[in-house]
């Protein structure tokens, strides 16, 4: 199901065709120079995962509280989740769709995820610039 939806998405967005599934069943969707994320096929449904930015090094506590508030009931993330990668070096955005979707729903999920990923990349960049410019 995922492979069929990805082929149709590639056609609709004039993207190069996706390679066939590898052992990990993961595809990388690159929509712009700084906007790419992975899509992993599950037995039923799929996972979306993307790096937002390097984890904050200044004003960490304030930043993490802000991200936790965004995660609260999915209000600031559109039911996706902000987290850290396994090495705690990057902020990540992830989403699991635990059911099969038709193409229209698939495209909407991809669009929502890409929009939230882009939003948080910009937001974190602003936070980092603000933290670097402040005295405290």
């Amino acid at each position: 199901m995922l492979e069929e939806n990805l082929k149709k998405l590639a056609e609709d967005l004039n993207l190069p065709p996706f390679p066939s599934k590898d052992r990990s069943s993961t595809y990388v969707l690159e929509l712009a120079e700084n906007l790419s994320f992975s899509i992993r096929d599950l037995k039923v449904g799929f996972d979306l995962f993307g790096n937002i930015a390097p984890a904050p090094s200044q004003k960490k506590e304030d930043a993490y509280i802000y991200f936790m508030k965004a995660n609260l009931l999915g209000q600031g993330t559109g039911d996706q989740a902000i987290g850290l990668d396994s090495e705690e070096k990057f902020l990540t955005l992830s989403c699991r769709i635990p059911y099969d979707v038709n193409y229209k729903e698939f495209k909407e999920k991809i669009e929502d995820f890409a929009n939230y990923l882009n939003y948080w990349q910009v937001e974190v960049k602003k936070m980092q610039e603000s933290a670097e410019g402040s005295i405290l």
Side-chain angles (χ1 to χ4, degrees):
M1 178 72 83
L2 178 63
E3 196 166 342
E4 294 168 15
N5 285 336
L6 285 171
K7 285 179 183 178
K8 179 124 176 72
L9 184 68
E11 289 173 15
D12 287 353
L13 300 178
N14 295 322
L15 298 171
F18 287 91
S20 55
K21 208 182 327 185
D22 63 5
R23 278 186 270 148
S24 65
S25 301
T26 301
Y27 303 87
V28 175
L29 181 56
E30 192 166 335
L31 297 175
E33 186 176 322
N34 294 324
L35 186 61
S36 67
F37 53 91
S38 64
I39 304 169
R40 187 172 55 121
D41 198 6
L42 303 173
K43 288 182 182 179
V44 178
F46 57 95
D47 274 338
L48 301 170
F49 181 86
N51 286 335
I52 297 172
S57 58
Q58 298 176 344
K59 297 190 175 185
K60 282 181 168 183
E61 293 81 15
D62 293 340
Y64 290 139
I65 289 170
Y66 184 64
F67 301 138
M68 286 191 305
K69 287 180 182 177
N71 276 339
L72 182 64
L73 302 175
Q75 292 175 339
T77 60
D79 291 329
Q80 278 91 211
I82 296 174
L84 292 169
D85 69 343
S86 60
E87 297 173 4
E88 298 182 6
K89 292 184 179 182
F90 281 92
L91 290 170
T92 63
L93 187 68
S94 60
C95 178
R96 175 169 282 175
I97 309 301
Y99 49 88
D100 287 330
V101 295
N102 63 33
Y103 177 70
K104 181 182 176 203
E105 293 169 322
F106 174 78
K107 188 174 178 183
E108 288 171 358
K109 297 285 185 192
I110 295 293
E111 183 179 1
D112 287 346
F113 188 82
N115 287 336
Y116 277 102
L117 182 60
N118 184 45
Y119 170 80
W120 282 105
Q121 287 173 338
V122 171
E123 190 68 18
V124 169
K125 186 176 181 179
K126 287 180 194 175
M127 289 175 65
Q128 289 172 340
E129 290 171 354
S130 174
E132 289 170 2
S134 74
I135 298 171
L136 303 174

